[in-house]
Structure formats: structure tokens, C-alpha cells
Amino acid sequence: MRDTRESRLLLVLLIAIAFALITVDIRGGDESPVEGARRAAATFFGPVEDGVASAVNPVGNVIGAIRDSGARHDRISVLQQENAALKQRLGSDDRNRNRVRELDAMLAKAGAGQYGIKGAEVIAIGAAQGFSWTITIDIGANDGIKRDMTVLNGEGLVGRVTTVGPHTATVLLANDPDFTVGTRMEKTDELGFATGQGDRPLSVQLLNGKSRVKKGDRLVTFGSSRDKPFVPGVPVGEVVRVDPSGGDLTRTIYVRPFVGFTKLDLVGVVVVAPREDPRDTVLPPKSKPVPTPTVTVTVSPSPDTGADANADANADANADAGANDAATGTDQDDDLE
């Protein structure tokens, strides 16, 4: 189209009409005169837009995936945390099972000795209280705990209560160098005093220097006056070495404690002593030694060996026969002379 006066007037007219329609549409809202035209255009162009959208959707999906990658990363992190929590829960279940076994063993010990106990959990271990080998338990004076009470677990003697607070208490362990307890030998009733030696076996001084002791013998607590600080019959340990007496009035033996002091978790404080001395009934049954299998080897002679033996026997017989013949000939010569 050539740039003429008529074309410029037409362009100005179309622009004016467009502005007028825009103004009417804005003011009219839903009642706008152009609403019908808009609907008609949507009806006509809708399928076209769907087709274009279908063609463009793969690209849009990629863009959306990139946009959502942060959210997916967060989701992965959440799943990883849930997985870690699940593993931790499973681990705690294993720990709970171990604690149930510990509790059952401790209750069995208390039942065998007729000890009235209060269960406690070890919440601290170390020398913070001024001792070398101590633990802190989560019960105290408010729970009826007093100084110089015996502490045990499912394996045997743990120690004695030394300091008591309202909600916690300190226990001096039996392997502490400042710890001493009266002991009694199983069956023989030989008396002694056991002293802790840290991570080494307990040192026990037997009062009878001529007492017969051997490796594997076991000891229990002798008990104290009015059952404080020790009740009788609590398993202490097993003899691992015996020093020769050398004519001394006392005899030293070394005892491996039944309790593992580095892995304490649940313990029981004896709040009610037994009416009678349980003697050796709290000791676990002795394990029977496993017999060592013996192997008997039987050697059968081979046929070749038998043949060789026969050949040697025949050779010996022939030699003896020759010797006899020679002797006979000599005798005949003597007779002839």
C-alpha cells in the first residue's frame, strides 16, 4: 500500500477504534460488548493452543524438572534422614534386647540370693568424684538409697554406694585400689580379703596360709555386720593364680572378677538384705569341661611288606640251616678222628 493521505487516515481511524474498544472492555467487565468476541476467539483458537502446548510440553517438563530439582534434593535428604532414623531405631532395639537380658540376669541373681534390690542405670563413669574407679547411678536418697549399700548386677559384685544425693548416687567399684571386701571360698569356706587392682585381677589375702586353693575356685562375699556395706553370698570372681605360701601366715591368690567393670549399664542396689546367708546358691553353675577328642591310628602292613618279611624270615632260616649243617660236619670229623 502506498503512503497516501487516505491510508494514513485509515490507520488513525483503526487506532482510535482500538483504544475505544479497550476502554469499553475495561469499564464493562463481564458485560463487556467484546466478551462474546473473546469467547468466540477462545473457541476457535483453543484447539490450536492445545496442539502447540503438546508440542512444547516436553521442553516445559524439562524446565519444570530443573525448577523442581531443589525440592527433589530436599526430598532425598528427608528420605536419607528417615533411613538413618530407622537404622538408629533398629540399633536401639538391639540395645533394648541386651538390656532386657541384663535385667533378667540381675533379677535372677536377686531372686537366688533373696536380695531386695532397686534397679538403676549408669549415667556416668570416671574419676570426676575423686575416685579412680566409680560410676554414677540415676537413683538417690529420694529413692531410699543410703551410703554403704551393696551394688550388684547379673554377673556379681559391682561395688558399694559411697556418696548419695537426692536423685543420684556414686558407687565405688570393686576393682578400685581403695576397695576391700571380705570373701569366702566356695565349698572350703576359707576366708580372706579382696582388694581391687584396677584392670588387673583382684588380690585376695587368705587368712589360712596352708589353705588348699587351685585355679578355677570361686569366691563370694562373706558379708558385713548388719549387712553393711556388704550382704553375704554375692559372687566375686574366679581364681586365676595362686602364689606359694612359703610358710607365711596368709596366702595370696588372684581372682578375675565376674563383673566387666568397663561395660556397666544396669545395676541393682540391695535395699533389703536376705534373711539367711545364701552361701553358694547365687554362684552360676560350673561349666563342664569339654573332653579333648583322642585319635587312634591303626597301621596295617601292606602285601609288599609281608612279602619282604617272609623273605627275610626264609633267609634267616636258610642261614640257620647252613650253620647247623656246618656244625654237624664238624662233629662228624671229630668222631672220625
Side-chain angles (χ1 to χ4, degrees), residues 95-119:
R95 182 170 181 267
N96 288 335
R97 283 191 289 270
N98 291 334
R99 301 185 82 185
V100 168
R101 285 193 291 268
E102 290 181 17
L103 183 59
D104 288 342
M106 184 169 66
L107 292 177
K109 281 281 188 292
Q114 296 299 306
Y115 307 123
I117 65 171
K118 281 200 172 183

mmCIF file of all heavy atoms in Angstrom, residues 95-119:
data_model
loop_
_atom_site.group_PDB
_atom_site.id
_atom_site.type_symbol
_atom_site.label_atom_id
_atom_site.label_comp_id
_atom_site.label_asym_id
_atom_site.label_seq_id
_atom_site.Cartn_x
_atom_site.Cartn_y
_atom_site.Cartn_z
ATOM 1 N N ARG A 95 19.913 -52.770 71.432
ATOM 2 C CA ARG A 95 20.374 -52.364 72.762
ATOM 3 C C ARG A 95 19.315 -52.676 73.807
ATOM 4 O O ARG A 95 19.633 -53.131 74.913
ATOM 5 C CB ARG A 95 20.701 -50.879 72.769
ATOM 6 C CG ARG A 95 21.228 -50.356 74.097
ATOM 7 C CD ARG A 95 21.764 -48.941 73.960
ATOM 8 N NE ARG A 95 22.285 -48.445 75.225
ATOM 9 C CZ ARG A 95 21.588 -47.747 76.106
ATOM 10 N NH1 ARG A 95 20.316 -47.447 75.846
ATOM 11 N NH2 ARG A 95 22.133 -47.326 77.223
ATOM 12 N N ASN A 96 18.040 -52.449 73.458
ATOM 13 C CA ASN A 96 16.970 -52.750 74.411
ATOM 14 C C ASN A 96 16.913 -54.244 74.709
ATOM 15 O O ASN A 96 16.678 -54.646 75.858
ATOM 16 C CB ASN A 96 15.624 -52.265 73.865
ATOM 17 C CG ASN A 96 15.515 -50.750 73.881
ATOM 18 O OD1 ASN A 96 16.180 -50.084 74.671
ATOM 19 N ND2 ASN A 96 14.687 -50.205 73.010
ATOM 20 N N ARG A 97 17.126 -55.059 73.686
ATOM 21 C CA ARG A 97 17.129 -56.503 73.922
ATOM 22 C C ARG A 97 18.274 -56.898 74.849
ATOM 23 O O ARG A 97 18.107 -57.748 75.735
ATOM 24 C CB ARG A 97 17.216 -57.248 72.585
ATOM 25 C CG ARG A 97 15.898 -57.305 71.810
ATOM 26 C CD ARG A 97 15.987 -58.274 70.664
ATOM 27 N NE ARG A 97 16.840 -57.765 69.596
ATOM 28 C CZ ARG A 97 16.398 -57.035 68.575
ATOM 29 N NH1 ARG A 97 15.114 -56.734 68.490
ATOM 30 N NH2 ARG A 97 17.223 -56.614 67.629
ATOM 31 N N ASN A 98 19.442 -56.281 74.640
ATOM 32 C CA ASN A 98 20.573 -56.566 75.530
ATOM 33 C C ASN A 98 20.262 -56.143 76.963
ATOM 34 O O ASN A 98 20.605 -56.842 77.921
ATOM 35 C CB ASN A 98 21.826 -55.843 75.028
ATOM 36 C CG ASN A 98 22.343 -56.418 73.735
ATOM 37 O OD1 ASN A 98 22.122 -57.595 73.433
ATOM 38 N ND2 ASN A 98 23.043 -55.609 72.957
ATOM 39 N N ARG A 99 19.596 -55.008 77.101
ATOM 40 C CA ARG A 99 19.270 -54.520 78.443
ATOM 41 C C ARG A 99 18.231 -55.421 79.107
ATOM 42 O O ARG A 99 18.263 -55.622 80.331
ATOM 43 C CB ARG A 99 18.767 -53.085 78.375
ATOM 44 C CG ARG A 99 19.781 -52.123 77.766
ATOM 45 C CD ARG A 99 19.304 -50.699 77.835
ATOM 46 N NE ARG A 99 19.563 -50.135 79.150
ATOM 47 C CZ ARG A 99 19.147 -48.918 79.516
ATOM 48 N NH1 ARG A 99 18.467 -48.175 78.676
ATOM 49 N NH2 ARG A 99 19.422 -48.444 80.712
ATOM 50 N N VAL A 100 17.315 -55.953 78.313
ATOM 51 C CA VAL A 100 16.333 -56.879 78.872
ATOM 52 C C VAL A 100 17.037 -58.124 79.393
ATOM 53 O O VAL A 100 16.716 -58.633 80.487
ATOM 54 C CB VAL A 100 15.277 -57.248 77.810
ATOM 55 C CG1 VAL A 100 14.428 -58.430 78.276
ATOM 56 C CG2 VAL A 100 14.377 -56.050 77.523
ATOM 57 N N ARG A 101 18.025 -58.618 78.642
ATOM 58 C CA ARG A 101 18.778 -59.782 79.107
ATOM 59 C C ARG A 101 19.554 -59.460 80.387
ATOM 60 O O ARG A 101 19.609 -60.279 81.311
ATOM 61 C CB ARG A 101 19.734 -60.252 78.003
ATOM 62 C CG ARG A 101 19.038 -60.993 76.865
ATOM 63 C CD ARG A 101 20.040 -61.701 75.988
ATOM 64 N NE ARG A 101 20.844 -60.757 75.217
ATOM 65 C CZ ARG A 101 20.545 -60.339 73.996
ATOM 66 N NH1 ARG A 101 19.451 -60.797 73.399
ATOM 67 N NH2 ARG A 101 21.330 -59.493 73.349
ATOM 68 N N GLU A 102 20.150 -58.264 80.432
ATOM 69 C CA GLU A 102 20.867 -57.860 81.646
ATOM 70 C C GLU A 102 19.917 -57.789 82.845
ATOM 71 O O GLU A 102 20.252 -58.236 83.955
ATOM 72 C CB GLU A 102 21.533 -56.498 81.440
ATOM 73 C CG GLU A 102 22.713 -56.512 80.481
ATOM 74 C CD GLU A 102 23.336 -55.134 80.338
ATOM 75 O OE1 GLU A 102 23.061 -54.282 81.208
ATOM 76 O OE2 GLU A 102 24.084 -54.906 79.377
ATOM 77 N N LEU A 103 18.752 -57.220 82.606
ATOM 78 C CA LEU A 103 17.773 -57.096 83.692
ATOM 79 C C LEU A 103 17.305 -58.465 84.162
ATOM 80 O O LEU A 103 17.180 -58.710 85.375
ATOM 81 C CB LEU A 103 16.586 -56.261 83.220
ATOM 82 C CG LEU A 103 15.498 -55.973 84.254
ATOM 83 C CD1 LEU A 103 16.078 -55.226 85.440
ATOM 84 C CD2 LEU A 103 14.355 -55.178 83.625
ATOM 85 N N ASP A 104 17.064 -59.382 83.216
ATOM 86 C CA ASP A 104 16.639 -60.731 83.600
ATOM 87 C C ASP A 104 17.712 -61.421 84.442
ATOM 88 O O ASP A 104 17.394 -62.073 85.442
ATOM 89 C CB ASP A 104 16.344 -61.556 82.341
ATOM 90 C CG ASP A 104 15.056 -61.110 81.649
ATOM 91 O OD1 ASP A 104 14.253 -60.426 82.302
ATOM 92 O OD2 ASP A 104 14.873 -61.443 80.464
ATOM 93 N N ALA A 105 18.980 -61.284 84.022
ATOM 94 C CA ALA A 105 20.070 -61.918 84.776
ATOM 95 C C ALA A 105 20.184 -61.318 86.174
ATOM 96 O O ALA A 105 20.402 -62.049 87.157
ATOM 97 C CB ALA A 105 21.389 -61.770 84.016
ATOM 98 N N MET A 106 20.018 -60.006 86.288
ATOM 99 C CA MET A 106 20.113 -59.361 87.596
ATOM 100 C C MET A 106 18.962 -59.789 88.498
ATOM 101 O O MET A 106 19.163 -60.051 89.702
ATOM 102 C CB MET A 106 20.126 -57.841 87.422
ATOM 103 C CG MET A 106 20.317 -57.065 88.713
ATOM 104 S SD MET A 106 20.626 -55.316 88.420
ATOM 105 C CE MET A 106 19.042 -54.811 87.705
ATOM 106 N N LEU A 107 17.772 -59.873 87.956
ATOM 107 C CA LEU A 107 16.629 -60.311 88.750
ATOM 108 C C LEU A 107 16.795 -61.762 89.183
ATOM 109 O O LEU A 107 16.386 -62.141 90.288
ATOM 110 C CB LEU A 107 15.336 -60.130 87.953
ATOM 111 C CG LEU A 107 14.920 -58.679 87.673
ATOM 112 C CD1 LEU A 107 13.668 -58.638 86.815
ATOM 113 C CD2 LEU A 107 14.701 -57.915 88.977
ATOM 114 N N ALA A 108 17.417 -62.579 88.324
ATOM 115 C CA ALA A 108 17.670 -63.972 88.695
ATOM 116 C C ALA A 108 18.653 -64.049 89.855
ATOM 117 O O ALA A 108 18.473 -64.848 90.788
ATOM 118 C CB ALA A 108 18.202 -64.748 87.488
ATOM 119 N N LYS A 109 19.703 -63.215 89.809
ATOM 120 C CA LYS A 109 20.659 -63.177 90.915
ATOM 121 C C LYS A 109 19.972 -62.727 92.208
ATOM 122 O O LYS A 109 20.175 -63.325 93.270
ATOM 123 C CB LYS A 109 21.794 -62.212 90.584
ATOM 124 C CG LYS A 109 22.854 -62.766 89.654
ATOM 125 C CD LYS A 109 23.810 -63.669 90.395
ATOM 126 C CE LYS A 109 24.995 -64.071 89.512
ATOM 127 N NZ LYS A 109 24.607 -64.944 88.391
ATOM 128 N N ALA A 110 19.182 -61.687 92.116
ATOM 129 C CA ALA A 110 18.491 -61.185 93.302
ATOM 130 C C ALA A 110 17.527 -62.224 93.846
ATOM 131 O O ALA A 110 17.406 -62.398 95.071
ATOM 132 C CB ALA A 110 17.749 -59.894 92.967
ATOM 133 N N GLY A 111 16.859 -62.946 92.965
ATOM 134 C CA GLY A 111 15.933 -63.975 93.420
ATOM 135 C C GLY A 111 16.655 -65.132 94.090
ATOM 136 O O GLY A 111 16.200 -65.658 95.110
ATOM 137 N N ALA A 112 17.819 -65.540 93.524
ATOM 138 C CA ALA A 112 18.565 -66.651 94.108
ATOM 139 C C ALA A 112 19.085 -66.310 95.490
ATOM 140 O O ALA A 112 19.122 -67.164 96.390
ATOM 141 C CB ALA A 112 19.724 -67.044 93.184
ATOM 142 N N GLY A 113 19.495 -65.053 95.692
ATOM 143 C CA GLY A 113 20.024 -64.650 96.992
ATOM 144 C C GLY A 113 19.007 -64.038 97.914
ATOM 145 O O GLY A 113 19.338 -63.687 99.060
ATOM 146 N N GLN A 114 17.764 -63.887 97.438
ATOM 147 C CA GLN A 114 16.702 -63.246 98.215
ATOM 148 C C GLN A 114 17.091 -61.816 98.623
ATOM 149 O O GLN A 114 16.859 -61.372 99.749
ATOM 150 C CB GLN A 114 16.368 -64.070 99.471
ATOM 151 C CG GLN A 114 15.809 -65.452 99.171
ATOM 152 C CD GLN A 114 14.503 -65.392 98.385
ATOM 153 O OE1 GLN A 114 13.551 -64.737 98.797
ATOM 154 N NE2 GLN A 114 14.468 -66.062 97.234
ATOM 155 N N TYR A 115 17.700 -61.105 97.644
ATOM 156 C CA TYR A 115 18.054 -59.705 97.864
ATOM 157 C C TYR A 115 16.911 -58.829 97.366
ATOM 158 O O TYR A 115 16.399 -59.025 96.257
ATOM 159 C CB TYR A 115 19.319 -59.318 97.093
ATOM 160 C CG TYR A 115 20.504 -60.219 97.337
ATOM 161 C CD1 TYR A 115 21.131 -60.867 96.280
ATOM 162 C CD2 TYR A 115 21.013 -60.413 98.612
ATOM 163 C CE1 TYR A 115 22.225 -61.687 96.489
ATOM 164 C CE2 TYR A 115 22.104 -61.230 98.833
ATOM 165 C CZ TYR A 115 22.710 -61.876 97.768
ATOM 166 O OH TYR A 115 23.787 -62.691 97.995
ATOM 167 N N GLY A 116 16.528 -57.842 98.179
ATOM 168 C CA GLY A 116 15.594 -56.829 97.709
ATOM 169 C C GLY A 116 16.387 -55.695 97.061
ATOM 170 O O GLY A 116 17.196 -55.043 97.729
ATOM 171 N N ILE A 117 16.210 -55.483 95.770
ATOM 172 C CA ILE A 117 17.041 -54.518 95.052
ATOM 173 C C ILE A 117 16.185 -53.424 94.410
ATOM 174 O O ILE A 117 14.977 -53.603 94.199
ATOM 175 C CB ILE A 117 17.887 -55.198 93.956
ATOM 176 C CG1 ILE A 117 16.984 -55.788 92.862
ATOM 177 C CG2 ILE A 117 18.785 -56.268 94.545
ATOM 178 C CD1 ILE A 117 17.742 -56.281 91.645
ATOM 179 N N LYS A 118 16.838 -52.321 94.106
ATOM 180 C CA LYS A 118 16.256 -51.260 93.285
ATOM 181 C C LYS A 118 17.145 -51.088 92.065
ATOM 182 O O LYS A 118 18.350 -50.859 92.190
ATOM 183 C CB LYS A 118 16.161 -49.946 94.065
ATOM 184 C CG LYS A 118 14.982 -49.894 95.012
ATOM 185 C CD LYS A 118 14.612 -48.481 95.401
ATOM 186 C CE LYS A 118 13.312 -48.467 96.201
ATOM 187 N NZ LYS A 118 12.881 -47.087 96.536
ATOM 188 N N GLY A 119 16.536 -51.233 90.884
ATOM 189 C CA GLY A 119 17.299 -51.124 89.656
ATOM 190 C C GLY A 119 17.696 -49.690 89.367
ATOM 191 O O GLY A 119 16.989 -48.743 89.708
#
